[in-house]
Amino acid sequence: RKASALLARTVMSAVNAVGSDAHVFGLVPTPVLAFGTRSRSCIAGFSVTASHNPAEFSGVKVFNYNGMELPKTDEERIERAMGVDVMKPSGKFGELVPDEGVVDDYIQAVVSRHPRATQRLRIAVDCGSGPGGLVTPRILESLGHHVIPVNAQVSWRFPARPPEPTATNLADFAKMVPMLGVDFALAHDGDADRLVMVDPFGNVVPDSILTILA
């Protein structure tokens, strides 16, 4: 998002101001942030994202030490706390810890959980101009499939389509799918924590079917 870099620096500065170190993962999908929070034994994780919302929005998702998004009640407590001055600066500042290896660790962790494909499939992936393009094609290729990335250039402008992967927003991609000759296709939202499937004939598969498969 246009404001994401500024917002991320604000979050990191707040973490440092209370004496804590901040692991900096850089531009990653939200699931990678959740994974990194747990694998790096962090007490909390902050994903600067507006998920499927329009390009002009930005925000922050907070994860606990298990890499799970906070329940609504905890989010409401944080929002109430932001209305008053409750921050207690530390006597010393924390440090920024660059951690660009989290993406490779995430991919390795996902791939290690699944056997390599015995049948090589052709799969198209509409990354929606989000950071999913940095991860999902690599995972599928590592599992032995032929991947056709679409809209894999990362851009806060979301030039190809709006970030939410609705049937309406995926209409152009769905028309393309039969011409690509793929076994099936996938599409992400803006921060790649949602996944939509498109069948070989260009039909957007209902979420209920993905739930059954999962």
Side-chain angles (χ1 to χ4, degrees), residues 88-103:
K88 298 178 180 179
S90 171
K92 66 173 184 177
F93 279 83
E95 298 181 352
L96 297 180
V97 183
D99 194 345
E100 297 179 357
V102 69
V103 170

Side-chain angles (χ1 to χ4, degrees), residues 83-121:
V84 295
D85 187 10
V86 298
M87 184 173 173
K88 298 178 180 179
S90 171
K92 66 173 184 177
F93 279 83
E95 298 181 352
L96 297 180
V97 183
D99 194 345
E100 297 179 357
V102 69
V103 170
D104 290 336
D105 291 347
Y106 174 81
I107 292 173
Q108 182 178 1
V110 173
V111 171
S112 68
R113 285 167 168 78
H114 303 278
R116 188 172 175 84
T118 56
Q119 179 184 355
R120 182 177 171 86
L121 301 176

Side-chain angles (χ1 to χ4, degrees), residues 33 37 41-46 62-65:
L33 181 283
T37 300
S41 299
C42 297
I43 194 170
F46 301 89
V62 186
F63 293 81
N64 66 17
Y65 61 91

Side-chain angles (χ1 to χ4, degrees), residues 46-82:
F46 301 89
S47 177
V48 177
T49 174
S51 188
H52 58 275
N53 291 301
E56 63 268 23
F57 290 91
S58 193
V60 180
K61 288 182 180 178
V62 186
F63 293 81
N64 66 17
Y65 61 91
N66 282 324
M68 301 297 292
E69 193 169 353
L70 295 187
K72 189 68 176 178
T73 52
D74 287 346
E75 290 181 347
E76 291 172 349
R77 287 176 57 201
I78 293 172
E79 289 177 359
R80 289 195 298 270
M82 291 173 66

Side-chain angles (χ1 to χ4, degrees), residues 3 24 26-27 36 43 54-55 59 63 107 146 159 178 181 185 208:
V24 184
L27 181 64
I43 194 170
F63 293 81
I107 292 173
H146 176 75
S208 57

Side-chain angles (χ1 to χ4, degrees), residues 2 6 11 22 38 42 66 86 96 163 178 199:
K2 187 176 183 180
L6 177 60
V11 172
R38 182 174 62 184
C42 297
N66 282 324
V86 298
L96 297 180
D199 71 18

